[in-house]
Amino acid sequence: MANTILVGAQWGDEGKGKIIDVLTERADVVVRTQGGNNAGHTVFLGQKKYVLHLIPSGILRRQKLCVIGNGVVIDPVGLVNEIQGLQKLGVKIGRNLVVSETAHVVFPYHRELDAQREVLKGKHKIGTTKRGIGPAYGDKAARVGLRMIDLVNPEQFAEKLQRRLKENNEVLKALGARPLSLKQVHAEYRAAGDFLKPFVANTVVLLHDAMRRGDDILFEGAQGTFLDLDHGTYPYVTSSNTTAGGACTGSGVPPHRMDRVVGVMKAYTTRVGEGPLPTESAEIADMLHAMGREFGATTGRARRCGWFDSVATRHAAMVNGLDDLAVTNLDGLDTVETIKVCIAYRIGRKRYDYAPNDVQLLAQCEPIYAEFDGWRTPTTKARKWKDLPAKARMYLKAIAELTGAKLAIASVGPAREQTILL
Ligand code: IMP
Ligand code: MG
């Protein structure tokens, strides 16, 4: 399969978990390279539902090595719970999971600050997952973060935590929040550190060893292009690079070793949290929610929904260098009579073929739509390209062409077998 980067081409929740699970069949190693437990990847196997937050979805297949790379921020208590939860479901986790020793650690003060900052922002809040992601990456950039290597080293850890807690407790008190107990945080984190120690290693060396052996690596992106810290709808973004470049910096695998970039996108658009969403539509949101679809895997929030936005996905094709596309949730449109696709934006008479970087302007953008006839037939049983209704095939081809990449996969339901490989 060669080394493949998989990214979200929209605002996250494109159904990456399922596509990763499908692609993992042909990979030897699966790596997470950015984000933290703000992510939620849902995979259905038979009757069982697995929700992954930090652990690569590859863990659900035997014989696959799963790596949490240096670019990820790790809530160690969350990671322990996730490992134990999966083990309870019968998933084998041992030497198949390796965690980077240079990944940064998320602490309770990060979560508390995340929440407090949202309150301070009032109506300008970002709508974060409150998992402490922004403050943790903030500490990393400010060079005051603690890494996994510190967490698993008891002597260093106590002293470093004490210093960080001192500063953060001052900030929390000033914000009117309760300071945290050093004793309690220390005990909780040391226990998690002891549990995680056997998993912690130099993952850069490990990945290069794997490449020398000829292993194929799948880089599992979290969130989506428009939540990218640099390329998204700033400040309504997450705090990591969710685009293809993040796979290199977040793993230590250099750009020239990457062979292919796959972009995952829904057949429509969704977004969780605040920020502009030009194609947002109550009509499609009500329809999808009534079908029981589009509720967040991490926070349970109802996702905002809209029509497919090819201005957005074209941008995603550009910044990620998308080779192939995986289109998911095609079945979500099975009952729609007329399907709209945004082909450009406009503000008054001015037409925009690219999204303006100023979020105020983007918020004013109105979509210019093309219309497609719906197929109005269930697609969930389709297994091959020719099983799909002609109108569905036409729609898929059109959105791939508008995006500017090759259609490689179409997904018509959550199960592994509900996947059409072109
Ligand atoms: P944070 O990553 O928790 O700081 O949240 C920042 C923004 O990214 C918010 O709008 C979140 O809803 C969004 N976000 C973060 N992680 C995900 C994800 O995995 N899927 C979809 N949206 C996400
Ligand atoms: Mg998700």
Side-chain angles (χ1 to χ4, degrees), residues 198-250:
F199 297 98
V200 176
N202 182 333
T203 52
V204 174
V205 170
L206 177 131
L207 289 171
H208 281 264
D209 281 345
M211 285 192 288
R212 269 191 289 277
R213 285 197 303 269
D215 279 2
D216 290 330
I217 306 176
L218 177 61
F219 297 85
E220 159 175 343
Q223 291 90 36
T225 297
F226 292 92
L227 293 173
D228 184 284
L229 183 57
D230 287 83
H231 300 289
T233 52
Y234 192 90
Y236 301 100
V237 293
T238 190
S239 299
S240 64
N241 285 115
T242 60
T243 46
C248 295
T249 51

Side-chain angles (χ1 to χ4, degrees), residues 134-162:
Y137 276 114
D139 275 0
K140 176 179 176 177
R143 298 156 298 175
V144 293
L146 268 65
R147 304 184 294 177
M148 290 304 286
I149 205 169
D150 302 311
L151 180 72
V152 299
N153 182 331
E155 291 89 64
Q156 284 180 30
F157 182 69
E159 198 231 315
K160 288 184 176 170
L161 177 66
Q162 186 179 19

Side-chain angles (χ1 to χ4, degrees), residues 11-13 38-40 126-130 133 223 227 237-238 272-274 301:
W11 276 270
D13 302 313
N38 49 348
I126 295 167
T128 73
T129 61
K130 300 204 176 76
I133 305 302
Q223 291 90 36
L227 293 173
V237 293
T238 190
V272 197
E274 307 304 316
R301 290 181 285 180

Side-chain angles (χ1 to χ4, degrees), residues 13 39-41 297 303:
D13 302 313
H41 289 166
R303 296 180 186 135

